[in-house]
Amino acid sequence: QVSLVESGGALVQPGGSLRLSCAASGSIRSINDMGWYRQAPGKERELVATITRAYNTAYVDSVKGRFTISRDNSANTVTLQMNNLKPEDTAVYYCNAKGVLSSFRTFSSWGQGTQVTVSS
């Protein structure tokens, strides 16, 4: 089993910054893709940013130029630096990791979510 623990969500004013972190633990052989998703009230969960093991990144258009995803392969962690936050960024943010267990089975695991609220 794989456990993902997120941290860093908070209430912040428009234009402010936050840094979300996610740490994966468990019987992990390797993690391929890691990503951040978000879900606002009344909306479907959407992909925010992803990063491969080779550090290739992708972002949803609405956060390009404001958010940066990074990872530490040796520590099995992923972070999301969010700058110039807007009220429409308000959502619960979820970490996701996909990879291979020590048993050679594949996995896709989710964190419990962390609340980001952007409001004055």
Side-chain angles (χ1 to χ4, degrees):
Q1 294 291 345
V2 176
S3 174
L4 299 182
V5 178
E6 301 132 334
S7 62
L11 170 64
V12 64
Q13 293 186 342
S17 298
L18 280 177
R19 185 178 180 88
L20 304 183
S21 297
C22 174
S25 61
S27 301
I28 300 169
R29 175 168 293 274
S30 65
I31 298 179
N32 299 325
D33 298 334
M34 302 189 83
W36 289 94
Y37 293 69
R38 65 186 179 188
Q39 187 166 18
K43 295 187 176 181
E44 294 186 353
R45 188 174 298 188
E46 68 168 350
L47 174 65
V48 177
T50 60
I51 184 167
T52 69
R53 189 169 182 82
Y55 306 106
N56 296 310
T57 61
Y59 300 89
V60 66
D61 285 346
S62 60
V63 307
K64 286 181 180 178
R66 301 189 297 122
F67 291 11
T68 302
I69 189 170
S70 60
R71 66 186 284 177
D72 183 334
N73 287 336
S74 62
N76 288 335
T77 59
V78 61
T79 61
L80 185 68
Q81 177 66 43
M82 305 185 293
N83 298 327
N84 190 21
L85 283 160
K86 303 176 180 181
E88 51 264 41
D89 295 318
T90 295
V92 178
Y93 283 70
Y94 297 90
C95 173
N96 175 262
K98 298 180 177 66
V100 181
L101 298 172
S102 299
S103 63
F104 293 96
R105 296 183 66 179
T106 60
F107 71 89
S108 177
S109 294
W110 293 90
Q112 80 285 355
T114 185
Q115 178 70 48
V116 172
T117 303
V118 185
S119 175
S120 55

